[in-house]
Amino acid sequence: MNTAIIQLLVLAGIAVFLILRLRSVLGTREGFETPPAPIEGAPARRNPGFEVIEGGPDHDIIDHVPEDSEAAAALAEMKRAEPSFAVGEFLSGARGAYEMILMGFENGDMEQIRPLLGDDVAETFDEVIKMRKDQGLTIEAEFLGVREVSLHDATFVTETGEANVVVKFIGELTSVVYNAKGDLVEGEAGKSKRQKDIWTFERMMGTDDPNWRLVATGE
């Protein structure tokens, strides 16, 4: 037997010895293994990336208003009255309502947006749209997007369940006004403008009617 074969046999023997030693120390893992039972009395392991803190601050509220503010207290009362209420979801819905109401008003389409309006706001919108028609004015508008939606204030009347949430919007749109002759009397065709609005939405919490209604507008 030559020297090369002897060396290979020696190396193979060493490799087998090492493998057997490693198996005795580490064991083997094949497929699914039941995790070891916890040691009685040992503290539970926590996943550092996912931990729920009981009684901690509600980030659905404090992400939008200061923690110690009256608005935060009002939002917390709304959640107690109606646990399914979420501030983040409300603001997402308000963003969509803003575009729908704003464009409905600009285009004079009240039937589409009337269910979203309080009585006083609906009456005001009706008067303005009628005045435009009487003067022969036509508006051409295009909504380009919402640049900002932020919660401005909130109030809640515990005795009645009446909730009011004030939201600040900054939208971007194009809007031009033509008279009965087709002459441009306001705005600039193709030029966008930013519009700031502060709207108050109202709803009776805990009722079957899920709709918030626009009850006041301002800047």
Side-chain angles (χ1 to χ4, degrees):
M1 184 178 296
N2 58 37
T3 305
I5 294 176
I6 294 174
Q7 289 177 341
L8 287 174
L9 290 174
V10 171
L11 290 173
I14 294 172
V16 171
F17 173 78
L18 290 174
I19 291 172
L20 292 175
R21 289 290 297 169
L22 287 171
R23 285 172 62 91
S24 67
V25 174
L26 301 176
T28 60
R29 296 187 179 275
E30 297 178 359
F32 174 78
E33 291 187 342
T34 304
I39 300 174
E40 185 175 355
R45 295 179 63 186
R46 296 181 181 272
N47 184 341
F50 182 77
E51 183 173 353
V52 177
I53 303 176
E54 294 294 336
D58 186 344
H59 285 277
D60 183 51
I61 293 177
I62 65 172
D63 284 352
H64 302 287
V65 294
E67 183 174 358
D68 297 328
S69 65
E70 293 183 0
L75 293 169
E77 289 296 326
M78 293 180 200
K79 288 194 166 195
R80 292 188 186 96
E82 190 170 302
S84 61
F85 171 69
V87 180
E89 291 179 3
F90 166 82
L91 290 175
S92 178
R95 175 189 289 267
Y98 178 68
E99 177 180 355
M100 184 181 297
I101 293 172
L102 187 61
M103 296 311 295
F105 173 69
E106 292 283 344
N107 296 325
D109 184 7
M110 283 294 294
E111 294 309 311
Q112 181 182 9
I113 64 174
R114 195 177 298 277
L116 303 177
L117 307 178
D119 293 340
D120 291 343
V121 173
E123 182 178 351
T124 300
F125 281 14
D126 281 331
E127 290 175 356
V128 174
I129 292 172
K130 182 179 183 301
M131 181 182 66
R132 289 182 197 155
K133 290 181 178 179
D134 292 343
Q135 295 177 356
L137 300 178
T138 302
I139 295 181
E140 293 183 1
E142 180 183 1
F143 192 80
L144 302 178
V146 179
R147 302 305 178 194
E148 179 183 335
V149 179
S150 57
L151 202 153
H152 190 68
D153 198 5
T155 59
F156 182 71
V157 181
T158 306
E159 294 76 13
T160 63
E162 179 183 312
N164 283 268
V165 181
V166 185
V167 183
K168 175 186 174 183
F169 300 95
I170 296 180
E172 188 166 349
L173 68 156
T174 62
S175 179
V176 291
V177 182
Y178 298 94
N179 62 19
K181 296 179 181 180
D183 299 326
L184 180 65
V185 295
E186 184 179 329
E188 184 177 340
K191 184 176 181 179
S192 65
K193 65 176 182 178
R194 291 196 175 186
Q195 178 164 321
K196 175 184 173 183
D197 291 289
I198 296 179
W199 287 3
T200 302
F201 295 90
E202 182 181 274
R203 179 171 174 258
M204 301 299 292
M205 306 296 288
T207 64
D208 294 333
D209 185 358
N211 292 324
W212 290 82
R213 290 178 173 81
L214 176 62
V215 295
T217 62
E219 295 182 1

Short mmCIF file of all heavy atoms in Angstrom, two decimals, residues 23-75:
data_model
loop_
_atom_site.label_atom_id
_atom_site.label_comp_id
_atom_site.label_asym_id
_atom_site.label_seq_id
_atom_site.Cartn_x
_atom_site.Cartn_y
_atom_site.Cartn_z
N ARG A 23 -21.89 14.96 17.09
CA ARG A 23 -23.26 14.46 17.27
C ARG A 23 -23.57 14.28 18.74
O ARG A 23 -24.67 14.54 19.21
CB ARG A 23 -23.44 13.14 16.53
CG ARG A 23 -23.57 13.29 15.02
CD ARG A 23 -23.54 11.94 14.34
NE ARG A 23 -24.67 11.11 14.77
CZ ARG A 23 -25.86 11.09 14.14
NH1 ARG A 23 -26.06 11.84 13.06
NH2 ARG A 23 -26.82 10.31 14.57
N SER A 24 -22.58 13.84 19.52
CA SER A 24 -22.82 13.60 20.95
C SER A 24 -23.02 14.91 21.71
O SER A 24 -23.67 14.94 22.75
CB SER A 24 -21.65 12.81 21.55
OG SER A 24 -20.47 13.61 21.56
N VAL A 25 -22.45 16.01 21.21
CA VAL A 25 -22.54 17.30 21.89
C VAL A 25 -23.74 18.09 21.41
O VAL A 25 -24.54 18.61 22.19
CB VAL A 25 -21.24 18.11 21.69
CG1 VAL A 25 -21.41 19.51 22.28
CG2 VAL A 25 -20.07 17.41 22.32
N LEU A 26 -23.93 18.21 20.07
CA LEU A 26 -24.96 19.07 19.48
C LEU A 26 -26.25 18.35 19.20
O LEU A 26 -27.31 18.97 19.11
CB LEU A 26 -24.43 19.69 18.17
CG LEU A 26 -23.17 20.52 18.29
CD1 LEU A 26 -22.73 20.97 16.90
CD2 LEU A 26 -23.39 21.73 19.19
N GLY A 27 -26.24 17.08 19.04
CA GLY A 27 -27.42 16.35 18.62
C GLY A 27 -27.68 16.58 17.14
O GLY A 27 -26.89 17.20 16.44
N THR A 28 -28.82 16.11 16.64
CA THR A 28 -29.19 16.28 15.23
C THR A 28 -30.55 16.91 15.15
O THR A 28 -31.36 16.80 16.08
CB THR A 28 -29.22 14.93 14.51
OG1 THR A 28 -30.18 14.09 15.14
CG2 THR A 28 -27.86 14.27 14.51
N ARG A 29 -30.83 17.61 14.05
CA ARG A 29 -32.12 18.24 13.84
C ARG A 29 -32.64 17.79 12.48
O ARG A 29 -32.05 18.09 11.45
CB ARG A 29 -32.00 19.77 13.89
CG ARG A 29 -31.56 20.26 15.26
CD ARG A 29 -31.61 21.77 15.37
NE ARG A 29 -31.20 22.20 16.68
CZ ARG A 29 -31.99 22.29 17.73
NH1 ARG A 29 -33.26 21.94 17.63
NH2 ARG A 29 -31.54 22.70 18.89
N GLU A 30 -33.75 17.10 12.50
CA GLU A 30 -34.35 16.61 11.27
C GLU A 30 -35.82 16.99 11.29
O GLU A 30 -36.58 16.48 12.09
CB GLU A 30 -34.20 15.09 11.17
CG GLU A 30 -32.75 14.64 11.10
CD GLU A 30 -32.63 13.14 11.06
OE1 GLU A 30 -33.69 12.47 11.09
OE2 GLU A 30 -31.51 12.64 10.99
N GLY A 31 -36.21 17.91 10.40
CA GLY A 31 -37.61 18.32 10.33
C GLY A 31 -38.04 19.08 11.57
O GLY A 31 -37.25 19.74 12.24
N PHE A 32 -39.34 18.94 11.96
CA PHE A 32 -39.91 19.69 13.07
C PHE A 32 -39.61 19.01 14.37
O PHE A 32 -39.77 17.79 14.51
CB PHE A 32 -41.43 19.80 12.90
CG PHE A 32 -42.12 20.42 14.08
CD1 PHE A 32 -42.09 21.79 14.27
CD2 PHE A 32 -42.77 19.64 15.00
CE1 PHE A 32 -42.71 22.37 15.35
CE2 PHE A 32 -43.39 20.21 16.09
CZ PHE A 32 -43.37 21.57 16.27
N GLU A 33 -39.18 19.78 15.35
CA GLU A 33 -38.95 19.25 16.69
C GLU A 33 -39.78 20.05 17.68
O GLU A 33 -39.90 21.26 17.58
CB GLU A 33 -37.48 19.36 17.08
CG GLU A 33 -36.57 18.44 16.31
CD GLU A 33 -35.15 18.47 16.85
OE1 GLU A 33 -34.83 19.42 17.58
OE2 GLU A 33 -34.41 17.55 16.56
N THR A 34 -40.37 19.37 18.62
CA THR A 34 -41.12 20.06 19.66
C THR A 34 -40.17 20.90 20.49
O THR A 34 -39.14 20.39 20.94
CB THR A 34 -41.83 19.04 20.57
OG1 THR A 34 -42.66 18.21 19.75
CG2 THR A 34 -42.66 19.74 21.63
N PRO A 35 -40.46 22.17 20.70
CA PRO A 35 -39.56 23.00 21.49
C PRO A 35 -39.50 22.52 22.92
O PRO A 35 -40.45 21.91 23.43
CB PRO A 35 -40.21 24.39 21.42
CG PRO A 35 -41.64 24.13 21.08
CD PRO A 35 -41.65 22.90 20.24
N PRO A 36 -38.37 22.73 23.57
CA PRO A 36 -38.23 22.27 24.95
C PRO A 36 -39.25 22.92 25.86
O PRO A 36 -39.62 24.08 25.68
CB PRO A 36 -36.80 22.69 25.32
CG PRO A 36 -36.49 23.82 24.38
CD PRO A 36 -37.21 23.49 23.12
N ALA A 37 -39.73 22.16 26.83
CA ALA A 37 -40.72 22.69 27.77
C ALA A 37 -40.07 23.75 28.63
O ALA A 37 -38.89 23.65 28.99
CB ALA A 37 -41.25 21.56 28.65
N PRO A 38 -40.81 24.83 28.95
CA PRO A 38 -40.22 25.89 29.79
C PRO A 38 -39.92 25.40 31.18
O PRO A 38 -40.61 24.53 31.71
CB PRO A 38 -41.32 26.95 29.80
CG PRO A 38 -42.58 26.21 29.51
CD PRO A 38 -42.20 25.10 28.59
N ILE A 39 -38.88 25.93 31.75
CA ILE A 39 -38.50 25.57 33.11
C ILE A 39 -39.48 26.21 34.08
O ILE A 39 -39.75 27.40 34.01
CB ILE A 39 -37.06 26.04 33.41
CG1 ILE A 39 -36.11 25.38 32.41
CG2 ILE A 39 -36.66 25.72 34.83
CD1 ILE A 39 -34.69 25.88 32.52
N GLU A 40 -40.01 25.42 34.96
CA GLU A 40 -41.01 25.93 35.90
C GLU A 40 -40.40 27.03 36.76
O GLU A 40 -39.32 26.86 37.33
CB GLU A 40 -41.53 24.80 36.77
CG GLU A 40 -42.66 25.22 37.69
CD GLU A 40 -43.24 24.05 38.45
OE1 GLU A 40 -42.83 22.91 38.20
OE2 GLU A 40 -44.09 24.30 39.32
N GLY A 41 -41.08 28.16 36.82
CA GLY A 41 -40.60 29.26 37.64
C GLY A 41 -39.69 30.21 36.90
O GLY A 41 -39.36 31.28 37.42
N ALA A 42 -39.28 29.85 35.69
CA ALA A 42 -38.39 30.73 34.92
C ALA A 42 -39.21 31.84 34.27
O ALA A 42 -40.37 31.62 33.90
CB ALA A 42 -37.65 29.93 33.85
N PRO A 43 -38.68 33.05 34.13
CA PRO A 43 -39.42 34.15 33.51
C PRO A 43 -39.70 33.87 32.04
O PRO A 43 -38.89 33.27 31.35
CB PRO A 43 -38.47 35.36 33.67
CG PRO A 43 -37.12 34.76 33.81
CD PRO A 43 -37.32 33.46 34.52
N ALA A 44 -40.89 34.29 31.57
CA ALA A 44 -41.27 34.08 30.17
C ALA A 44 -40.38 34.90 29.26
O ALA A 44 -40.02 36.03 29.57
CB ALA A 44 -42.74 34.46 29.96
N ARG A 45 -40.01 34.30 28.12
CA ARG A 45 -39.20 35.02 27.15
C ARG A 45 -40.09 35.98 26.37
O ARG A 45 -41.22 35.68 26.04
CB ARG A 45 -38.54 34.03 26.18
CG ARG A 45 -37.53 33.12 26.86
CD ARG A 45 -36.93 32.16 25.86
NE ARG A 45 -36.19 32.89 24.84
CZ ARG A 45 -35.66 32.29 23.78
NH1 ARG A 45 -35.82 31.00 23.59
NH2 ARG A 45 -35.01 33.01 22.88
N ARG A 46 -39.60 37.15 26.06
CA ARG A 46 -40.34 38.16 25.33
C ARG A 46 -39.68 38.42 23.98
O ARG A 46 -38.46 38.40 23.87
CB ARG A 46 -40.41 39.47 26.12
CG ARG A 46 -41.18 39.35 27.42
CD ARG A 46 -41.23 40.68 28.14
NE ARG A 46 -41.93 40.59 29.39
CZ ARG A 46 -43.23 40.74 29.54
NH1 ARG A 46 -43.98 40.99 28.48
NH2 ARG A 46 -43.81 40.64 30.71
N ASN A 47 -40.51 38.64 23.00
CA ASN A 47 -39.99 39.04 21.69
C ASN A 47 -39.75 40.54 21.74
O ASN A 47 -40.69 41.32 21.87
CB ASN A 47 -41.03 38.69 20.62
CG ASN A 47 -40.51 39.01 19.22
OD1 ASN A 47 -39.57 39.77 19.06
ND2 ASN A 47 -41.14 38.42 18.22
N PRO A 48 -38.50 40.99 21.66
CA PRO A 48 -38.23 42.43 21.80
C PRO A 48 -38.85 43.27 20.71
O PRO A 48 -39.02 44.46 20.86
CB PRO A 48 -36.69 42.50 21.74
CG PRO A 48 -36.28 41.26 21.01
CD PRO A 48 -37.28 40.21 21.41
N GLY A 49 -39.24 42.65 19.58
CA GLY A 49 -39.82 43.41 18.49
C GLY A 49 -41.33 43.53 18.56
O GLY A 49 -41.94 44.23 17.77
N PHE A 50 -41.96 42.84 19.50
CA PHE A 50 -43.43 42.88 19.59
C PHE A 50 -43.82 42.71 21.04
O PHE A 50 -43.82 41.61 21.57
CB PHE A 50 -44.05 41.77 18.74
CG PHE A 50 -45.55 41.79 18.74
CD1 PHE A 50 -46.23 42.72 17.96
CD2 PHE A 50 -46.28 40.91 19.51
CE1 PHE A 50 -47.60 42.75 17.95
CE2 PHE A 50 -47.65 40.93 19.50
CZ PHE A 50 -48.32 41.85 18.72
N GLU A 51 -44.14 43.78 21.70
CA GLU A 51 -44.50 43.73 23.11
C GLU A 51 -45.62 44.71 23.37
O GLU A 51 -45.53 45.89 23.05
CB GLU A 51 -43.29 44.07 23.98
CG GLU A 51 -43.59 43.96 25.47
CD GLU A 51 -42.34 44.15 26.31
OE1 GLU A 51 -41.25 44.23 25.73
OE2 GLU A 51 -42.48 44.24 27.53
N VAL A 52 -46.72 44.22 23.91
CA VAL A 52 -47.87 45.05 24.22
C VAL A 52 -47.77 45.50 25.67
O VAL A 52 -47.60 44.69 26.57
CB VAL A 52 -49.19 44.28 24.01
CG1 VAL A 52 -50.38 45.13 24.42
CG2 VAL A 52 -49.31 43.84 22.57
N ILE A 53 -47.83 46.76 25.90
CA ILE A 53 -47.73 47.32 27.25
C ILE A 53 -49.13 47.66 27.73
O ILE A 53 -49.79 48.56 27.19
CB ILE A 53 -46.84 48.57 27.28
CG1 ILE A 53 -45.46 48.22 26.73
CG2 ILE A 53 -46.75 49.14 28.68
CD1 ILE A 53 -44.53 49.41 26.62
N GLU A 54 -49.62 46.93 28.71
CA GLU A 54 -50.95 47.19 29.23
C GLU A 54 -51.01 48.56 29.89
O GLU A 54 -50.14 48.94 30.66
CB GLU A 54 -51.33 46.11 30.25
CG GLU A 54 -51.48 44.71 29.66
CD GLU A 54 -52.65 44.62 28.71
OE1 GLU A 54 -53.58 45.44 28.85
OE2 GLU A 54 -52.64 43.74 27.83
N GLY A 55 -52.05 49.32 29.58
CA GLY A 55 -52.22 50.62 30.22
C GLY A 55 -51.33 51.71 29.65
O GLY A 55 -51.28 52.80 30.21
N GLY A 56 -50.62 51.42 28.56
CA GLY A 56 -49.75 52.42 27.97
C GLY A 56 -50.54 53.45 27.18
O GLY A 56 -51.76 53.35 27.02
N PRO A 57 -49.88 54.47 26.66
CA PRO A 57 -50.55 55.52 25.90
C PRO A 57 -51.15 54.97 24.61
O PRO A 57 -50.60 54.05 24.00
CB PRO A 57 -49.43 56.53 25.62
CG PRO A 57 -48.17 55.74 25.70
CD PRO A 57 -48.42 54.69 26.75
N ASP A 58 -52.26 55.53 24.21
CA ASP A 58 -52.94 55.12 22.99
C ASP A 58 -52.35 55.92 21.82
O ASP A 58 -52.66 57.09 21.64
CB ASP A 58 -54.45 55.38 23.11
CG ASP A 58 -55.23 54.82 21.93
OD1 ASP A 58 -54.61 54.52 20.90
OD2 ASP A 58 -56.46 54.70 22.05
N HIS A 59 -51.51 55.27 21.04
CA HIS A 59 -50.84 55.98 19.95
C HIS A 59 -51.81 56.39 18.84
O HIS A 59 -51.51 57.29 18.06
CB HIS A 59 -49.69 55.15 19.39
CG HIS A 59 -48.49 55.12 20.28
ND1 HIS A 59 -47.54 56.12 20.29
CD2 HIS A 59 -48.12 54.24 21.25
CE1 HIS A 59 -46.62 55.84 21.19
NE2 HIS A 59 -46.94 54.72 21.78
N ASP A 60 -52.95 55.72 18.76
CA ASP A 60 -53.96 56.14 17.79
C ASP A 60 -54.45 57.55 18.12
O ASP A 60 -54.94 58.25 17.24
CB ASP A 60 -55.14 55.15 17.82
CG ASP A 60 -56.20 55.49 16.79
OD1 ASP A 60 -55.85 55.67 15.61
OD2 ASP A 60 -57.38 55.57 17.18
N ILE A 61 -54.30 57.96 19.38
CA ILE A 61 -54.69 59.31 19.80
C ILE A 61 -53.48 60.24 19.82
O ILE A 61 -53.49 61.30 19.20
CB ILE A 61 -55.37 59.28 21.18
CG1 ILE A 61 -56.72 58.55 21.09
CG2 ILE A 61 -55.57 60.70 21.72
CD1 ILE A 61 -57.43 58.40 22.42
N ILE A 62 -52.42 59.84 20.53
CA ILE A 62 -51.30 60.78 20.75
C ILE A 62 -50.44 60.97 19.52
O ILE A 62 -49.58 61.85 19.50
CB ILE A 62 -50.43 60.32 21.94
CG1 ILE A 62 -49.73 58.99 21.64
CG2 ILE A 62 -51.26 60.23 23.20
CD1 ILE A 62 -48.72 58.60 22.71
N ASP A 63 -50.66 60.16 18.49
CA ASP A 63 -49.96 60.42 17.22
C ASP A 63 -50.58 61.61 16.49
O ASP A 63 -49.99 62.12 15.53
CB ASP A 63 -50.03 59.20 16.30
CG ASP A 63 -49.06 58.10 16.73
OD1 ASP A 63 -48.25 58.36 17.63
OD2 ASP A 63 -49.14 56.99 16.18
N HIS A 64 -51.74 62.08 16.96
CA HIS A 64 -52.46 63.15 16.27
C HIS A 64 -52.67 64.41 17.12
O HIS A 64 -52.80 65.50 16.57
CB HIS A 64 -53.81 62.64 15.78
CG HIS A 64 -53.71 61.45 14.87
ND1 HIS A 64 -53.26 61.56 13.57
CD2 HIS A 64 -53.95 60.13 15.08
CE1 HIS A 64 -53.26 60.34 13.01
NE2 HIS A 64 -53.67 59.47 13.91
N VAL A 65 -52.72 64.25 18.44
CA VAL A 65 -52.89 65.40 19.34
C VAL A 65 -52.00 65.20 20.56
O VAL A 65 -51.64 64.07 20.89
CB VAL A 65 -54.36 65.57 19.78
CG1 VAL A 65 -55.25 65.93 18.60
CG2 VAL A 65 -54.88 64.31 20.47
N PRO A 66 -51.62 66.28 21.25
CA PRO A 66 -50.79 66.14 22.46
C PRO A 66 -51.48 65.26 23.51
O PRO A 66 -52.71 65.30 23.68
CB PRO A 66 -50.64 67.59 22.95
CG PRO A 66 -50.83 68.42 21.72
CD PRO A 66 -51.83 67.70 20.88
N GLU A 67 -50.69 64.46 24.21
CA GLU A 67 -51.23 63.47 25.14
C GLU A 67 -52.08 64.08 26.24
O GLU A 67 -53.11 63.52 26.63
CB GLU A 67 -50.07 62.67 25.75
CG GLU A 67 -50.52 61.56 26.67
CD GLU A 67 -49.36 60.70 27.15
OE1 GLU A 67 -48.21 60.97 26.73
OE2 GLU A 67 -49.59 59.77 27.94
N ASP A 68 -51.68 65.23 26.77
CA ASP A 68 -52.39 65.82 27.90
C ASP A 68 -53.40 66.88 27.48
O ASP A 68 -53.89 67.65 28.32
CB ASP A 68 -51.38 66.46 28.88
CG ASP A 68 -50.44 65.41 29.47
OD1 ASP A 68 -50.89 64.27 29.66
OD2 ASP A 68 -49.27 65.74 29.73
N SER A 69 -53.74 66.94 26.22
CA SER A 69 -54.66 67.97 25.73
C SER A 69 -56.12 67.58 25.96
O SER A 69 -56.45 66.41 26.18
CB SER A 69 -54.43 68.20 24.24
OG SER A 69 -54.77 67.04 23.50
N GLU A 70 -56.99 68.60 25.90
CA GLU A 70 -58.42 68.34 26.03
C GLU A 70 -58.93 67.53 24.84
O GLU A 70 -59.84 66.71 24.98
CB GLU A 70 -59.18 69.67 26.12
CG GLU A 70 -58.90 70.44 27.40
CD GLU A 70 -59.71 71.72 27.49
OE1 GLU A 70 -60.50 71.99 26.56
OE2 GLU A 70 -59.58 72.44 28.50
N ALA A 71 -58.33 67.73 23.67
CA ALA A 71 -58.72 66.96 22.49
C ALA A 71 -58.43 65.48 22.70
O ALA A 71 -59.24 64.62 22.32
CB ALA A 71 -58.00 67.48 21.26
N ALA A 72 -57.28 65.15 23.30
CA ALA A 72 -56.94 63.75 23.56
C ALA A 72 -57.94 63.12 24.52
O ALA A 72 -58.36 61.97 24.34
CB ALA A 72 -55.52 63.66 24.13
N ALA A 73 -58.34 63.87 25.54
CA ALA A 73 -59.33 63.37 26.50
C ALA A 73 -60.66 63.13 25.80
O ALA A 73 -61.35 62.12 26.06
CB ALA A 73 -59.49 64.35 27.65
N ALA A 74 -61.04 64.04 24.92
CA ALA A 74 -62.31 63.89 24.19
C ALA A 74 -62.28 62.65 23.28
O ALA A 74 -63.25 61.89 23.22
CB ALA A 74 -62.59 65.14 23.36
N LEU A 75 -61.16 62.44 22.61
CA LEU A 75 -61.04 61.27 21.73
C LEU A 75 -61.08 59.98 22.53
O LEU A 75 -61.66 58.97 22.08
CB LEU A 75 -59.75 61.36 20.92
CG LEU A 75 -59.70 62.50 19.89
CD1 LEU A 75 -58.28 62.65 19.35
CD2 LEU A 75 -60.67 62.24 18.75
#
